[in-house]
């Protein structure tokens, strides 16, 4: 007689059977069953989302959106045994949508004021207008009484979230916003109801939207910190204070880059970092007045990331609001209150603040500080620690600033630009390649191939513009003095960099260019000495008398000599680069 052998079900099969039961219960309206499905699989789908993006914050957003969609469309799942693959597909679609759209989705004004989206239009969960219109369109007594229980729960939760955001509005703004989005009143009806003009209604709605967007960013940051707490990774991480904060250089981005590099295994001197990143060769001036912003008027993201790649590092950055080519206010002359914490609180929160905080956490958790712009003043600094509980950053620079800064102060400085940069990883690279990369970067700048603007001029083309400002007597003393101090320091570091490479770098393939490197070091030393004469003539911060005719002529003569020597330096760099890249 044959015996029937019953094999025990595997753990995976048993879980699939339990999932199938939970899915069927959830389809029937059992909210706890769906909650159990989420509890079982949330970690898996989060890991799946992280396979598409390394940003924890973005992955969390993708998962949240996917779960909402799964909740709303669970009834469309035909095969209940396929719940996890179905959920994975939703996550994948959400990831593709978010990554294609990118982090800097352009904000719109109230585009929906003149029309309501149709029932067939998809909701953009990143756009406040779209969310509000969906809620206002769907929230009614009939939906609450007759709607699908699962969809009703999600709608109610979203509705309550948006309603909580409305607390950032004053009573009048809130009543107008609620009248438009939740009571479906048109602007002309609201104008009649509140005894105001229709133009004023548009103004109130536009202003309210900005407030709501700001509040949403705060909520997202709070949720991000709460997620870290729930995951058991909410903590305090403070590195040692970077030695870069003690470096006496006017090139604050060079000091900050040095601070990043010093926490890696690739040990480089400050002149080497400034040289390899290309900042030893930079010159940018603002036509007519030589504004103080000149030395920092460059695309932070492309220039600083290129500098790190020259040294064999993989960079990662978050950038918003930079660079439109317009010089910002001179921090030397503004009312000191505009540089205060209170002033930062009044400025707009950058939309990419959560991504910036996530990058800071990621880098510091790996033991590397983060370069940041305008933490104390419009210069570069380093973030070397964080405290999640108090939402504070430990930061400092080489200008004697060292303090704790609230998370929400990032990107809210005088210039209102957000920029943070970190080293993601290190790649193998030899000395010859690093040097060739650096010289290529220098030559590109000298030839003004970075994207010239009518608001600033860089490289060799800056000298005629600079001399013209002296000829016309339109030089702003403080900005001119600062520009001279930075460029003098840069050329000093160029000289030291080439001397170090010629004398101390051990790569034997450099032997053929060592005489030329020593020649370059001597030539940049001469250039630096002439710039020093100008620095003595126009000391920072007072700036001397650049528009006094005799002094201006003296400056023009010195700049002409420097311009000629810079031309010789470019020719020499071209020869060195050709030798380094020859097969």
């Amino acid at each position: 007689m044959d015996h029937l052998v019953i094999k025990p079900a595997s753990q995976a099969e048993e879980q699939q059977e339990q999932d199938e039961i939970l899915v069927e219960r959830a389809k029937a309206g059992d909210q706890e069953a769906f909650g159990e499905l989420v509890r079982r699989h949330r970690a898996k789908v989060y890991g799946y989302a992280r396979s598409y993006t390394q940003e924890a914050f973005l992955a969390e957003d993708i998962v949240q959106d996917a779960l909402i969609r799964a909740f709303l469309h669970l009834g469309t799942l035909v095969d209940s045994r396929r719940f996890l693959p179905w959920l994975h597909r939703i996550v994948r679609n959400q990831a593709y949508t978010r990554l294609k759209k990118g982090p800097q989705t352009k904000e719109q004004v109230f585009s929906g004021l003149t029309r309501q989206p149709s029932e067939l239009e998809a909701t953009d969960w990143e756009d406040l207008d779209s969310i509000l219109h969906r809620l206002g369109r769907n929230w009614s007594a009939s939906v609450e009484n007759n709607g699908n229980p699962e969809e009703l729960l999600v709608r109610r939760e979203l509705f309550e979230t948006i309603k909580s955001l409305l607390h950032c509005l004053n009573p009048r703004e809130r009543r107008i916003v609620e009248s438009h989005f939740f009571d479906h009143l048109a602007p002309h009806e609201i104008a009649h109801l509140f005894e105001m003009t229709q133009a004023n209604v548009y103004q109130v709605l536009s202003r309210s939207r900005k407030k709501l967007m700001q509040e949403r960013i705060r909520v997202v940051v709070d949720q991000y910190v709460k997620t870290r707490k729930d995951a058991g990774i909410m903590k305090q991480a403070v590195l040692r204070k970077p030695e870069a904060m003690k470096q006496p250089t006017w090139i604050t981005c060079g000091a900050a880059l040095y601070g990043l590099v010093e926490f890696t295994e690739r040990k480089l001197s400050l002149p080497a970092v400034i040289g390899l990143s290309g900042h030893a060769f930079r010159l940018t001036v603002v036509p007519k007045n030589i504004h103080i912003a000149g030395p920092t008027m460059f695309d932070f993201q492309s220039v600083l990331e290129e500098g790190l790649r020259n040294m064999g590092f993989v960079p990662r950055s978050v950038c918003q609001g930079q660079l439109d080519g317009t010089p910002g206010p001179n921090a030397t002359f503004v009312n000191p209150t505009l540089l205060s914490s209170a002033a930062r609180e009044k400025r707009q929160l950058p939309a990419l603040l959560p991504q910036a905080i996530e990058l800071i956490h990621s880098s510091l958790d790996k033991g590397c500080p983060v370069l940041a712009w305008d933490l104390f003043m419009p210069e570069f600094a380093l973030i070397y620690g964080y405290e999640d509980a108090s939402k504070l950053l430990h930061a400092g620079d080489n200008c004697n600033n060292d303090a704790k800064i609230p998370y929400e102060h990032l990107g809210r400085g005088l210039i209102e630009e957000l920029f943070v940069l970190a080293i993601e990883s290190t790649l193998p690279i030899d000395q010859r390649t690093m040097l060739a990369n650096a010289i290529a970067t220098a030559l590109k700048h000298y030839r003004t191939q970075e994207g010239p603007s009518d608001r600033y001029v860089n490289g060799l083309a800056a000298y005629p513009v600079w001399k013209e400002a002296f000829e016309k007597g339109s030089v702003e003393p403080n900005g001119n003095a600062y520009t001279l101090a930075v460029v003098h320091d840069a050329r000093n570091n160029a000289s030291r960099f080439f001397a170090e490479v010629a004398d101390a770098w051990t790569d034997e393939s450099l032997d053929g260019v060592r005489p030329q490197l020593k020649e370059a070091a001597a030539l940049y030393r001469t250039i630096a000495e002439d710039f020093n004469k100008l620095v003595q003539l126009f000391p920072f911060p007072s700036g001397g008398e650049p528009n006094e005719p005799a002094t201006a002529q003296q400056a023009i003569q010195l700049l002409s000599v420097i311009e000629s020597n810079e031309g010789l330096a470019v020719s020499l760099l071209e020869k060195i680069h050709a030798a380094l890249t020859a097969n």
Side-chain angles (χ1 to χ4, degrees), residues 74-195:
L74 189 61
T76 65
L77 176 60
V78 177
D79 186 352
S80 297
R81 294 170 298 178
R82 300 284 297 168
F83 173 75
L84 188 56
W86 177 73
L87 184 57
H88 274 182
R89 188 167 64 251
I90 296 175
V91 170
R92 182 189 62 209
N93 292 341
Q94 277 304 108
Y96 286 157
T97 299
R98 294 295 301 277
L99 294 173
K100 181 178 180 181
K101 180 163 57 176
Q104 301 191 53
T105 304
K106 185 177 180 180
E107 291 189 17
Q108 304 280 331
V109 295
F110 267 93
S111 55
L113 292 179
T114 57
R115 66 175 185 88
Q116 299 287 338
S118 71
E119 291 292 333
L120 297 178
E121 288 185 53
T123 300
D124 182 354
W125 299 98
E126 286 300 297
D127 180 73
L128 185 62
D129 291 339
S130 185
I131 295 172
L132 286 172
H133 280 305
R134 177 192 173 95
L135 295 172
R137 184 173 68 242
N138 293 328
W139 191 263
S140 65
S142 61
V143 171
E144 185 160 6
N145 293 331
N146 305 315
N148 178 283
E150 292 86 354
E151 185 170 355
L152 174 63
L153 176 62
V154 174
R155 285 176 178 168
R156 181 182 292 117
E157 290 177 350
L158 289 172
F159 180 81
E160 291 304 321
T161 298
I162 299 297
K163 292 284 282 187
S164 68
L165 293 181
L166 295 176
H167 288 294
C168 72
L169 306 178
N170 63 44
R172 182 169 176 268
E173 292 170 336
R174 183 172 178 176
R175 287 196 300 272
I176 291 173
V177 168
E178 289 177 339
S179 296
H180 178 65
F181 285 108
F182 302 129
D183 297 334
H184 309 288
L185 296 184
H188 71 274
E189 295 173 313
I190 297 173
H192 177 73
L193 179 64
F194 290 92
E195 298 182 347

Side-chain angles (χ1 to χ4, degrees), residues 284-351:
T284 303
V285 300
V286 178
K288 297 181 181 179
N289 65 351
I290 318 300
H291 193 280
I292 195 171
T296 54
M297 290 189 71
F298 57 89
D299 187 313
F300 296 166
Q301 198 162 32
S302 63
V303 171
L304 295 180
E305 286 192 357
E306 180 180 7
L308 285 176
R309 284 192 293 268
N310 287 349
M311 295 177 267
F313 298 109
V314 177
R316 182 182 162 203
S317 64
V318 175
C319 181
Q320 181 181 334
Q322 205 276 328
L323 174 72
D324 65 0
T326 303
N330 188 333
T332 308
F333 300 133
V334 299
N335 188 320
T337 59
L338 295 178
L339 301 174
S340 67
S341 295
R344 287 179 182 264
E345 295 288 345
K346 296 178 182 179
R347 298 182 183 119
Q348 294 287 302
L349 281 167

Side-chain angles (χ1 to χ4, degrees), residues 451-471:
S453 165
D454 58 351
R455 295 188 176 92
Y456 61 92
V457 183
N458 53 36
L460 291 177
Y463 286 104
V465 171
W466 205 346
K467 290 188 289 184
E468 183 180 10
F470 276 107
E471 290 170 353

